[in-house]
């Protein structure tokens, strides 16, 4: 029996393979299980229809309300730094398209993602439903307050530029947990890691990045 091949999908599949090999060649993707997940998640489902032919290029794309879906290399950097574990419960700040949450969802137990813009929350929810992902919960609200209800989190990933590390995030993070956030108020920020230990907070710097700002 001949299995019909959807020409649109196979075209996207080829582009997705090219995106992933590019990310590997540049050293952004290193871990086998993360590489596999980047191959599985159809990024073109997470962009607007008019942008779908650019979905596998390595740059951010506009979604709604002046927001963007982060560039694939940025999602790769954040995901590799998070060292996702199958048992993890992760909090993301800024659901946007839902793509970063989708990637994480296949590597961890549960992802909670807070989005301030109702329209984007609905967009992310629809995109996740289209890809059959069920372990992501989208909460409409101000992510600066984290999400108290499901704390504590193994990891917190902030995907909008924040002027500071808010106290709620540190409180809602497990001891031993890791927070990743682009910290800064200008166009460029410093990708910052905060490890919460029994003795206090350990800060690491992972270089420059450019995210859209956190809004209140
Ligand atoms: N992670 C997303 C990209 C995020 S873009 C993806 O994979 O597509 C940044 C997002 O943060 C935008 O959707 C924006 O609306 C949201 N955001 C901005 N301020 C916020 C706040 N205070 N709380 C929650 N979300 C916020």
């Amino acid at each position: 029996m001949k299995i019909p091949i959807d020409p649109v999908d196979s075209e996207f599949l080829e582009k997705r393979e090219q995106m992933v090999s590019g990310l590997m060649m540049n050293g952004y993707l290193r871990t086998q299980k993360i590489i596999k997940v980047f191959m599985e998640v159809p990024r073109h489902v997470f962009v607007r229809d008019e942008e779908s032919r650019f979905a596998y290029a390595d740059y951010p794309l506009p979604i709604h309300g002046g927001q963007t879906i982060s560039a694939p290399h940025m999602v790769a950097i954040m995901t590799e730094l998070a060292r996702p574990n199958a048992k993890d419960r992760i909090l993301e700040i800024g659901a946007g398209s839902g793509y970063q949450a989708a990637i994480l969802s296949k590597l961890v137990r549960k992802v909670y993602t807070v989005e301030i813009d109702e329209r984007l929350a609905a967009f992310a929810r629809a995109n996740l439903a289209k890809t059959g992902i069920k372990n992501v919960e989208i909460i409409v609200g101000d992510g600066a307050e984290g999400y108290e209800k499901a704390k504590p989190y193994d990891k917190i990933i902030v995907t909008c530029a924040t002027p500071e590390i808010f106290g709620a995030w540190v409180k809602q993070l497990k001891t031993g947990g890791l927070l990743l956030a682009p910290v800064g108020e200008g166009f460029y920020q410093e990708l910052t890691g905060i490890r919460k230990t029994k003795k206090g907070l350990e800060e690491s710097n992972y270089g420059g990045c450019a995210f859209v700002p956190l809004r209140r």
Side-chain angles (χ1 to χ4, degrees), residues 58-196:
D58 194 15
Y59 45 76
L61 289 170
I63 37 180
H64 298 287
Q67 304 305 304
T68 54
I69 171 172
S70 310
H73 75 271
M74 208 56 238
V75 180
I77 291 172
M78 296 283 249
T79 308
E80 288 279 359
L81 284 174
R83 292 171 159 271
N85 183 295
K87 289 187 199 142
D88 284 348
R89 291 165 63 261
I90 295 194
L91 175 66
E92 180 191 35
I93 310 300
S97 67
Y99 179 69
Q100 171 79 76
I103 291 282
L104 289 170
S105 77
K106 290 180 178 280
L107 296 157
V108 304
R109 184 145 60 104
K110 177 95 190 201
V111 180
Y112 298 87
T113 176
V114 185
E115 173 55 56
I116 202 161
D117 181 329
E118 256 176 64
R119 194 169 157 210
L120 280 168
F123 181 59
R125 216 170 266 137
N127 296 340
L128 289 159
K130 278 187 219 163
T131 41
I133 290 168
K134 296 196 171 70
N135 58 338
V136 177
E137 189 174 322
I138 299 167
I139 300 106
V140 178
D142 180 4
E145 285 156 28
Y147 183 53
E148 178 76 17
K149 237 169 131 180
K151 70 167 190 204
Y153 303 99
D154 298 281
K155 280 123 202 187
I156 299 180
I157 293 185
V158 182
T159 65
C160 42
T162 181
E164 59 180 293
I165 303 288
F166 293 104
W169 298 341
V170 175
K171 272 195 205 130
Q172 293 170 20
L173 189 64
K174 264 187 199 167
T175 303
L178 176 71
L179 182 147
L180 290 169
V183 181
E185 293 186 87
F187 183 79
Y188 292 106
Q189 306 92 40
E190 295 287 339
L191 185 55
T192 306
I194 304 279
R195 173 77 62 189
K196 185 175 176 179

